[in-house]
Amino acid sequence: MLMFDRASLAALAAVLDTGSFDRAAARLGVSQSAISQRIRGLEEHVGAVLLLRSRPVKPTEAGQKIRAHAETLALMEQRLADRLKMAPIYLDAPLRIAVTADTLASWVLPALPQEDWLFYDLIIDDQDHSERLLLSGEAAGAITARAVPVAGCDITPLGPLRYVGFASPAFADYHFAEGVTLSALLRAPALTYSRKDRLQRAWASKVAEINISTLPTHYLPSTHGITDAAKAGLGWAVNPEEMIAPHFESGALVALRPDIVLETPLYWQVPRQNKEVLSGITASLKRAAARRRTG
C-alpha cells in the first residue's frame, strides 16, 4: 500500500505554492536542504519526478496528482477535527478553486465560507476552460459552463449569469447614433477580457443575427477594469447584468440593446474524492445561487 509522509507532502505543497525551495523552507521553518531531501525522498517513494526545477518551480503530471491527493487528505483531516471538536488543523497550502472573473466580480466572494483554518487560492479562468483544471488536479473545485460532469466529478447547477451590452452615453451617441447595427459593431472598439473571451462576439452576433468572428477590441484582463474603461469611453462591452445595473441607474452607462441578454448557465463541479470535505462550500454556493434566482 502506498503511504505518504506528511512532512514530505507539506514540503511539496509549500514548494508549489511559493514557487521555490528557499521560500518553501522559510514558510515551513526548516532548511532548504531539508526541503530538498523531503522532495527527493517523495520522488523516490513514488518512482517519478514530481517537480520541474524551473523558475517558478512547476509540477509534473505526477506531481500535480500527488499535490491534489495531499490537499484532499488535509481537508479530510480538518473535517474530522471539526466533527471531533478539535482545534483547527491549518492547511499546508491554500485551497485552490477555479472561478471566472465575472463570478468573482459579481457574487462569488460573499458566498465563500469563512473559516479561521481555511485560505483560498482562487484561480481565474474562463468558464469554458476551467474543467481542464479539474482534470489535471490543479483545482479542488471549479465553476464551469459545462452541463455534463467532468470525469470523476459531481455537478451542482448554479443558475445562469445574465450578460448585457453597455457603453458610456457619449460613446453610444457617437458610435451607435444610427442604432447598434452590424456596420457600427464592426467599427466601434469593444472591450474584451482575454483572447479566450467570446462574450462580446456572442452578444454582437445575437444583435446582428449573423455570426461575427472578429471585432475591433481592446484587451483588458479585469471585469471591473472593463466597466471603468467603458465609463471612460474607451469602448463598449458585455458584463454581468447585476454588476452593471447600478451604473445604468446612475446614468454613467447605458444599455446598448436592453432586449438582448446573454445567459451563461453555471455549474459547480467537485471531484468525488473532495465531495464530502467541500460540502460546506457547495452548500454555500447553492444558497447564494438560490438567492440570486429569487432576486
Side-chain angles (χ1 to χ4, degrees), residues 17-238:
D17 191 42
T18 63
S20 73
F21 282 65
D22 56 340
R23 286 194 290 269
R27 168 181 284 192
L28 298 181
V30 298
S31 67
Q32 185 173 337
S33 63
I35 295 292
S36 298
Q37 289 172 8
R38 292 177 188 180
I39 297 298
R40 186 164 54 252
L42 189 58
E43 289 179 326
E44 291 174 355
H45 185 57
V46 175
V49 175
L50 301 179
L51 297 177
L52 300 175
R53 271 66 170 179
S54 55
R55 292 189 180 183
V57 176
K58 295 181 180 180
T60 62
E61 182 178 354
Q64 189 59 65
K65 290 178 179 178
I66 298 297
R67 178 190 197 183
H69 175 70
E71 290 178 348
T72 299
L73 288 178
L75 288 167
M76 291 175 64
E77 290 177 355
Q78 176 55 47
R79 185 83 168 172
L80 179 61
D82 284 343
R83 289 177 174 175
L84 297 177
K85 302 186 184 306
M86 296 169 57
I89 301 170
Y90 290 88
L91 302 184
D92 295 322
L95 178 67
R96 287 166 299 124
I97 295 175
V99 301
T100 71
D102 293 340
T103 55
L104 182 65
S106 55
W107 68 274
V108 161
L109 279 179
L112 293 176
Q114 299 179 28
E115 302 286 351
D116 290 341
W117 58 271
L118 179 58
F119 297 89
Y120 294 104
D121 181 356
L122 300 182
I123 307 169
I124 308 299
D125 206 342
D126 184 86
Q127 59 261 25
D128 293 318
H129 297 82
S130 51
E131 57 254 34
R132 68 175 176 79
L133 299 173
L134 290 170
L135 288 169
S136 67
E138 293 176 69
I143 292 177
T144 79
R146 178 186 172 119
V148 178
V150 173
C153 290
D154 284 342
I155 189 169
T156 301
L158 297 177
L161 196 58
R162 290 167 52 89
Y163 289 89
V164 294
F166 59 91
S168 70
F171 185 96
D173 288 343
Y174 181 79
H175 289 280
F176 301 113
E178 304 300 322
V180 187
T181 63
L182 174 60
S183 60
L185 287 167
L186 294 178
R187 290 193 308 269
L191 297 163
T192 305
Y193 184 87
S194 73
R195 285 163 178 78
K196 293 180 184 178
D197 184 3
R198 297 178 296 181
L199 285 170
Q200 277 63 230
R201 283 175 288 158
W203 186 88
S205 296
K206 190 172 182 179
V207 169
E209 299 182 339
I210 187 174
N211 182 56
I212 296 176
S213 58
T214 60
L215 287 169
T217 189
H218 303 286
Y219 290 103
L220 207 168
S222 164
T223 301
H224 285 296
I226 283 175
T227 302
D228 292 339
K231 289 165 67 176
L234 190 62
W236 68 272
V238 177

Side-chain angles (χ1 to χ4, degrees), residues 282-295:
T282 299
S284 185
L285 290 175
K286 286 176 63 177
R287 288 193 297 269
R291 288 194 296 269
R292 291 177 58 249
R293 288 195 294 269
T294 58

Side-chain angles (χ1 to χ4, degrees), residues 230-250:
K231 289 165 67 176
L234 190 62
W236 68 272
V238 177
N239 259 346
E241 182 179 46
E242 59 200 84
M243 178 183 169
I244 301 301
H247 301 292
F248 290 160
E249 294 174 5
S250 70

